[in-house]
Amino acid sequence: KQEVTQIPAALSVPEGENLVLNCSFTDSAIYNLQWFRQDPGKGLTSLLLIQSSQREQTSGRLNASLDKSSGRSTLYIAASQPGDSATYLCAVRLGTSYDKVIFGPGTSLSVIP
Amino acid sequence: DAGITQSPRHKVTETGTPVTLRCHQTENHRYMYWYRQDPGHGLRLIHYSYGVKDTDKGEVSDGYSVSRSKTEDFLLTLESATSSQTSVYFCAIRAQGGENTEAFFGQGTRLTVV
């Protein structure tokens, strides 16, 4: 059974710092991996999607990497800003089935001005 | 927000009453999903739809039913609400396609069963 974990559960950093969020999954047979951001009381906003054949994706200050063999993905945030404060979730999609998406529990990020 | 509207956004209901949550999309996406989000459990799939009148169960479907009579609407019904169904419910949509199809989420419905 695929399990997705995210460490740390919470992170507090000063503004301007670069940081890395981790996502681990137990079964490397994934179709893709998606990173989301969730603000309090809001829905999930898609940040980056990495296909199984890709190693990384970049969008602005965000860079996500994928290492299927080790069952890991990282989300790198450069020059963090207070507006980056949110919960970040990763989700792995298993095979081509549209229902088999497993979410991690999330990392709550707080960027201190 | 990718043309997804959930209604209502907040609801308080009594145990044993039926409740229907609505998800409406303007993207004409084929796939629609209902998730619930609970502390300690993350997001879990309740039901999903892969077309009009085509639905299937997710991992936590007991006590829930769904219907999709039109492409744009996906309804989630709690036949007889219980306190364990107090949660935040999210609708998501996904376009038909291959590896690069992202999922987009609605703003959520906070349901409290008292």
Side-chain angles (χ1 to χ4, degrees), chain A residues 71-85:
Chain A
R72 290 191 60 197
S73 176
T74 60
L75 180 66
Y76 174 84
I77 302 177
S80 59
Q81 304 171 358
D84 295 330
S85 298

PDB file of all heavy atoms in Angstrom, chain A residues 71-85:
ATOM      1  N   GLY A  71      12.198   7.087  -3.705  1.00  0.00           N
ATOM      2  CA  GLY A  71      10.877   7.432  -3.194  1.00  0.00           C
ATOM      3  C   GLY A  71      10.825   8.800  -2.548  1.00  0.00           C
ATOM      4  O   GLY A  71      10.208   8.962  -1.489  1.00  0.00           O
ATOM      5  N   ARG A  72      11.466   9.775  -3.186  1.00  0.00           N
ATOM      6  CA  ARG A  72      11.525  11.094  -2.576  1.00  0.00           C
ATOM      7  C   ARG A  72      11.270  12.202  -3.591  1.00  0.00           C
ATOM      8  O   ARG A  72      11.656  12.113  -4.763  1.00  0.00           O
ATOM      9  CB  ARG A  72      12.884  11.334  -1.937  1.00  0.00           C
ATOM     10  CG  ARG A  72      13.171  10.514  -0.701  1.00  0.00           C
ATOM     11  CD  ARG A  72      14.427  11.038  -0.032  1.00  0.00           C
ATOM     12  NE  ARG A  72      14.266  12.442   0.366  1.00  0.00           N
ATOM     13  CZ  ARG A  72      15.290  13.235   0.660  1.00  0.00           C
ATOM     14  NH1 ARG A  72      16.526  12.805   0.583  1.00  0.00           N
ATOM     15  NH2 ARG A  72      15.067  14.490   1.017  1.00  0.00           N
ATOM     16  N   SER A  73      10.648  13.262  -3.086  1.00  0.00           N
ATOM     17  CA  SER A  73      10.522  14.506  -3.833  1.00  0.00           C
ATOM     18  C   SER A  73      10.816  15.646  -2.872  1.00  0.00           C
ATOM     19  O   SER A  73      10.500  15.560  -1.671  1.00  0.00           O
ATOM     20  CB  SER A  73       9.120  14.664  -4.424  1.00  0.00           C
ATOM     21  OG  SER A  73       8.984  15.920  -5.058  1.00  0.00           O
ATOM     22  N   THR A  74      11.421  16.683  -3.381  1.00  0.00           N
ATOM     23  CA  THR A  74      11.670  17.862  -2.567  1.00  0.00           C
ATOM     24  C   THR A  74      11.112  19.091  -3.272  1.00  0.00           C
ATOM     25  O   THR A  74      11.107  19.165  -4.506  1.00  0.00           O
ATOM     26  CB  THR A  74      13.167  18.087  -2.303  1.00  0.00           C
ATOM     27  OG1 THR A  74      13.839  18.263  -3.547  1.00  0.00           O
ATOM     28  CG2 THR A  74      13.789  16.918  -1.568  1.00  0.00           C
ATOM     29  N   LEU A  75      10.627  20.009  -2.483  1.00  0.00           N
ATOM     30  CA  LEU A  75      10.187  21.307  -2.985  1.00  0.00           C
ATOM     31  C   LEU A  75      11.115  22.350  -2.396  1.00  0.00           C
ATOM     32  O   LEU A  75      11.166  22.534  -1.174  1.00  0.00           O
ATOM     33  CB  LEU A  75       8.743  21.595  -2.595  1.00  0.00           C
ATOM     34  CG  LEU A  75       8.193  22.944  -3.070  1.00  0.00           C
ATOM     35  CD1 LEU A  75       8.101  22.986  -4.600  1.00  0.00           C
ATOM     36  CD2 LEU A  75       6.827  23.231  -2.449  1.00  0.00           C
ATOM     37  N   TYR A  76      11.846  23.006  -3.266  1.00  0.00           N
ATOM     38  CA  TYR A  76      12.815  24.032  -2.856  1.00  0.00           C
ATOM     39  C   TYR A  76      12.171  25.399  -3.094  1.00  0.00           C
ATOM     40  O   TYR A  76      11.668  25.676  -4.188  1.00  0.00           O
ATOM     41  CB  TYR A  76      14.093  23.881  -3.682  1.00  0.00           C
ATOM     42  CG  TYR A  76      15.120  24.958  -3.477  1.00  0.00           C
ATOM     43  CD1 TYR A  76      16.024  24.894  -2.417  1.00  0.00           C
ATOM     44  CD2 TYR A  76      15.232  26.018  -4.370  1.00  0.00           C
ATOM     45  CE1 TYR A  76      16.981  25.870  -2.235  1.00  0.00           C
ATOM     46  CE2 TYR A  76      16.194  26.997  -4.199  1.00  0.00           C
ATOM     47  CZ  TYR A  76      17.069  26.921  -3.135  1.00  0.00           C
ATOM     48  OH  TYR A  76      18.029  27.892  -2.964  1.00  0.00           O
ATOM     49  N   ILE A  77      12.186  26.219  -2.041  1.00  0.00           N
ATOM     50  CA  ILE A  77      11.651  27.572  -2.153  1.00  0.00           C
ATOM     51  C   ILE A  77      12.812  28.535  -1.921  1.00  0.00           C
ATOM     52  O   ILE A  77      13.444  28.527  -0.848  1.00  0.00           O
ATOM     53  CB  ILE A  77      10.525  27.838  -1.134  1.00  0.00           C
ATOM     54  CG1 ILE A  77       9.392  26.835  -1.325  1.00  0.00           C
ATOM     55  CG2 ILE A  77      10.001  29.266  -1.290  1.00  0.00           C
ATOM     56  CD1 ILE A  77       8.257  26.985  -0.312  1.00  0.00           C
ATOM     57  N   ALA A  78      13.100  29.337  -2.904  1.00  0.00           N
ATOM     58  CA  ALA A  78      14.202  30.295  -2.795  1.00  0.00           C
ATOM     59  C   ALA A  78      13.707  31.629  -2.249  1.00  0.00           C
ATOM     60  O   ALA A  78      12.586  32.057  -2.531  1.00  0.00           O
ATOM     61  CB  ALA A  78      14.838  30.502  -4.166  1.00  0.00           C
ATOM     62  N   ALA A  79      14.570  32.251  -1.467  1.00  0.00           N
ATOM     63  CA  ALA A  79      14.301  33.603  -0.957  1.00  0.00           C
ATOM     64  C   ALA A  79      12.878  33.720  -0.414  1.00  0.00           C
ATOM     65  O   ALA A  79      12.045  34.486  -0.921  1.00  0.00           O
ATOM     66  CB  ALA A  79      14.546  34.627  -2.054  1.00  0.00           C
ATOM     67  N   SER A  80      12.595  32.960   0.620  1.00  0.00           N
ATOM     68  CA  SER A  80      11.221  32.876   1.138  1.00  0.00           C
ATOM     69  C   SER A  80      10.669  34.249   1.548  1.00  0.00           C
ATOM     70  O   SER A  80      11.413  35.143   1.984  1.00  0.00           O
ATOM     71  CB  SER A  80      11.169  31.920   2.326  1.00  0.00           C
ATOM     72  OG  SER A  80      12.040  32.359   3.352  1.00  0.00           O
ATOM     73  N   GLN A  81       9.355  34.380   1.400  1.00  0.00           N
ATOM     74  CA  GLN A  81       8.637  35.617   1.718  1.00  0.00           C
ATOM     75  C   GLN A  81       7.475  35.303   2.664  1.00  0.00           C
ATOM     76  O   GLN A  81       6.979  34.165   2.659  1.00  0.00           O
ATOM     77  CB  GLN A  81       8.087  36.242   0.434  1.00  0.00           C
ATOM     78  CG  GLN A  81       9.136  36.516  -0.623  1.00  0.00           C
ATOM     79  CD  GLN A  81       8.517  36.918  -1.954  1.00  0.00           C
ATOM     80  OE1 GLN A  81       7.300  36.965  -2.110  1.00  0.00           O
ATOM     81  NE2 GLN A  81       9.375  37.228  -2.914  1.00  0.00           N
ATOM     82  N   PRO A  82       7.029  36.265   3.445  1.00  0.00           N
ATOM     83  CA  PRO A  82       5.886  36.008   4.337  1.00  0.00           C
ATOM     84  C   PRO A  82       4.669  35.479   3.594  1.00  0.00           C
ATOM     85  O   PRO A  82       3.900  34.684   4.129  1.00  0.00           O
ATOM     86  CB  PRO A  82       5.620  37.381   4.962  1.00  0.00           C
ATOM     87  CG  PRO A  82       6.969  38.044   4.964  1.00  0.00           C
ATOM     88  CD  PRO A  82       7.637  37.587   3.692  1.00  0.00           C
ATOM     89  N   GLY A  83       4.502  35.885   2.358  1.00  0.00           N
ATOM     90  CA  GLY A  83       3.377  35.402   1.554  1.00  0.00           C
ATOM     91  C   GLY A  83       3.476  33.929   1.196  1.00  0.00           C
ATOM     92  O   GLY A  83       2.500  33.353   0.705  1.00  0.00           O
ATOM     93  N   ASP A  84       4.618  33.320   1.430  1.00  0.00           N
ATOM     94  CA  ASP A  84       4.778  31.885   1.198  1.00  0.00           C
ATOM     95  C   ASP A  84       4.213  31.059   2.350  1.00  0.00           C
ATOM     96  O   ASP A  84       4.120  29.832   2.250  1.00  0.00           O
ATOM     97  CB  ASP A  84       6.261  31.519   1.017  1.00  0.00           C
ATOM     98  CG  ASP A  84       6.874  32.133  -0.227  1.00  0.00           C
ATOM     99  OD1 ASP A  84       6.130  32.343  -1.219  1.00  0.00           O
ATOM    100  OD2 ASP A  84       8.092  32.415  -0.220  1.00  0.00           O
ATOM    101  N   SER A  85       3.844  31.706   3.430  1.00  0.00           N
ATOM    102  CA  SER A  85       3.298  30.993   4.591  1.00  0.00           C
ATOM    103  C   SER A  85       2.010  30.287   4.202  1.00  0.00           C
ATOM    104  O   SER A  85       1.061  30.919   3.738  1.00  0.00           O
ATOM    105  CB  SER A  85       3.040  31.964   5.745  1.00  0.00           C
ATOM    106  OG  SER A  85       4.242  32.568   6.167  1.00  0.00           O
TER     107      SER A  85
END
